[in-house]
Amino acid sequence: MELGYNPVTPRIMHIDLNSCFATIEQQANRRQRGRPVAVAAYDHPNGIILAASYEAKALGIALGTKVKEAKAICPDIYIVEPDPPKYREAHRRFREVLERFTSDVTPKSIDEFVVNLTGSPAIMSGKTMKEIGYNVKAAVHEHVGEAVNCNVGIAPNRFLAKLAAGLHKPDGLDIITAENLEPTLAELRLTDLPGINRRFSARLKLAGIYTPLEFLAASRQTLVKQVFHGIVGHYWWLRLRGWEIDDKQGGRRTIGHQYAIPRPERTPEKVAAILAKLSEKTGRRLREKQWVAHGIHLGVRYADYTHWGQSMKAPKPLYATSDIFHLGQHLLARAPKKELKLLSIGVHDFAPAHPEQLSFFDGQRNIALERQTADAMDKINNTFGEYVVLSATMLGVETAAKDAIAFGKLDEVEASTLREAV
């Protein structure tokens, strides 16, 4: 017997901040509220818009627009470069709000969370999910900022909750249930569904599926054999009907950073300094997790738009920044000698960083001492500010590869800068 639509009372809530970075800038600067604001990789005519306020979006200024194009549309648009500490603080406050309602809080990106209210104190108090949703909105206003709004989507599973959160932006609240699922999908296009891009949309259309309602009506066999050619089709069949299959918590696969290199910084000396800083930022995050890594990857993009990348197994568990940097240098030496446009480094294959016994044998590197030194340096920098102390290999890197916030999921490689080369 085929499963029908999931009939349970929805308990999953997807919440995301509206135009997150631009809105946070408006919150921080009262004079910019109600005005077109854009966060750009850098304030240069060829800089790329990374986030636009709703006032800017209404004028046609969107993600990917160049600064010069935005100013041609709106000469008095307020352009600001990213301020990562500010956005991380907003993320922290956002999470604090949600944890008032339930402990089952999952970050999906810097500006969105999924929460499961099943058995939560909020539900046990007798409140409806709609009431809780409006309480979340009020708490975001109070704790994150009066200029900050959020979208709330409520549904039986994560997929439909995310879909619901995007139905009436900005500041929307929508609920999808088994009863209103079909009318809701009838108003949408295939590409309105989370996870269905133009490539997947084209694949569906080849099978005669042109709308979300036709997608919902397709048989499991059609999706498995004709559209997705495997188990993914089964997952979509369940997902569309409100059954939960996306709640598995995968571990972080890679910790890494990348940097788009402006032309003045494309000298060998500058590239080495950038690699050192990216290695330090990667090492810091690795040590925060108290992990070691057994693999490393280096990737580059060139000015001629070609790519090169290579991975290798580390000869010993990676923990200290110096080890990450030296292996990164080793891989970079293998790369074709052309003008670099982007440099990335990441580590993978993690294991807990078990304490190492101190060694008194000459001729062997004292792993325990290296780790203790790295931890001590992190503690000092965390307390007194970035790069108060640093290794000799990093001298002069303080201004290289500036800090930034990643887009996308938090459990994937973090792009440590949002700059585009001129």
Side-chain angles (χ1 to χ4, degrees), residues 251-265:
R252 184 186 293 272
R253 295 169 293 180
T254 303
I255 291 176
H257 288 265
Q258 67 180 23
Y259 182 68
I261 309 172
R263 282 204 172 92
E265 297 183 18

Side-chain angles (χ1 to χ4, degrees), residues 14-319:
H14 186 106
I15 311 103
D16 64 72
L17 300 182
N18 300 143
S19 295
C20 177
F21 294 174
T23 300
I24 292 169
E25 294 296 342
Q26 290 176 315
Q27 172 64 32
N29 188 342
R30 185 178 294 272
R31 292 177 297 177
Q32 303 306 324
R33 298 180 191 176
R35 295 186 52 201
V37 172
V39 178
Y42 58 108
D43 191 1
H44 181 281
N46 286 330
I48 301 298
I49 300 297
L50 306 170
S53 68
Y54 274 91
E55 296 83 2
K57 288 178 179 178
L59 300 174
I61 299 168
L63 174 68
T65 306
K66 289 188 175 182
V67 169
K68 61 184 178 183
E69 296 167 349
K71 289 184 176 180
I73 296 171
C74 180
D76 64 345
I77 188 171
Y78 180 67
I79 302 292
V80 60
E81 293 189 6
D83 187 351
K86 190 185 297 178
Y87 309 147
R88 292 192 184 101
E89 173 63 14
H91 175 83
R92 185 188 66 79
R93 292 187 177 206
F94 188 17
R95 180 165 192 152
E96 285 182 347
V97 166
L98 302 179
E99 288 177 341
R100 297 176 186 176
F101 297 88
T102 177
S103 60
D104 193 344
V105 175
T106 304
K108 304 303 290 183
S109 71
I110 192 73
D111 64 345
E112 61 181 336
F113 285 87
V114 172
V115 298
N116 187 342
L117 279 297
T118 303
S120 68
I123 288 293
M124 300 303 289
S125 70
K127 291 182 179 179
T128 66
M129 288 291 288
K130 188 173 184 179
E131 289 172 330
I132 296 170
Y134 281 115
N135 288 342
V136 167
K137 285 175 167 289
V140 167
H141 276 299
E142 176 187 353
H143 195 59
V144 183
E146 59 186 13
V148 179
N149 295 315
C150 64
N151 306 303
V152 175
I154 299 167
N157 67 353
R158 284 158 173 74
F159 168 76
L160 291 179
K162 183 175 177 66
L163 177 64
L167 292 177
H168 293 100
K169 290 186 175 184
D171 203 24
L173 189 154
D174 286 275
I175 303 174
I176 296 178
T177 66
E179 288 72 29
N180 72 351
L181 176 59
E182 292 183 11
T184 299
L185 294 182
E187 302 295 321
L188 304 176
R189 301 164 300 178
L190 285 172
T191 50
D192 292 328
L193 302 178
I196 299 297
N197 55 23
R198 281 181 287 184
R199 180 170 62 88
F200 276 129
S201 175
R203 182 183 294 186
L204 287 162
K205 289 175 181 177
L206 284 174
I209 298 170
Y210 294 91
T211 69
L213 270 183
E214 291 175 344
F215 195 6
L216 179 67
S219 69
R220 188 188 334 231
Q221 183 177 24
T222 297
L223 297 181
V224 170
K225 294 188 175 181
Q226 296 184 33
V227 180
F228 296 101
H229 305 291
I231 192 67
V232 172
H234 170 65
Y235 294 155
W236 272 107
W237 190 88
L238 291 172
R239 190 180 283 127
L240 286 164
R241 285 160 173 72
W243 299 100
E244 186 61 83
I245 62 158
D246 298 311
D247 60 347
K248 299 180 179 63
Q249 299 300 310
R252 184 186 293 272
R253 295 169 293 180
T254 303
I255 291 176
H257 288 265
Q258 67 180 23
Y259 182 68
I261 309 172
R263 282 204 172 92
E265 297 183 18
R266 293 178 186 175
T267 65
E269 296 77 16
K270 290 283 189 179
V271 169
I274 290 167
L275 179 60
K277 188 166 184 180
L278 298 182
S279 299
E280 167 66 6
K281 291 158 75 72
T282 298
R284 288 278 289 277
R285 291 173 58 205
L286 182 69
R287 294 188 289 274
E288 285 175 1
K289 298 285 187 182
Q290 283 296 295
W291 289 345
V292 296
H294 293 90
I296 186 168
H297 176 85
L298 187 93
V300 297
R301 186 167 73 223
Y302 295 100
D304 62 4
Y305 298 98
T306 58
H307 298 77
W308 179 90
Q310 194 167 101
S311 297
M312 66 176 290
K313 184 177 180 180
K316 71 168 191 174
L318 298 173
Y319 188 82

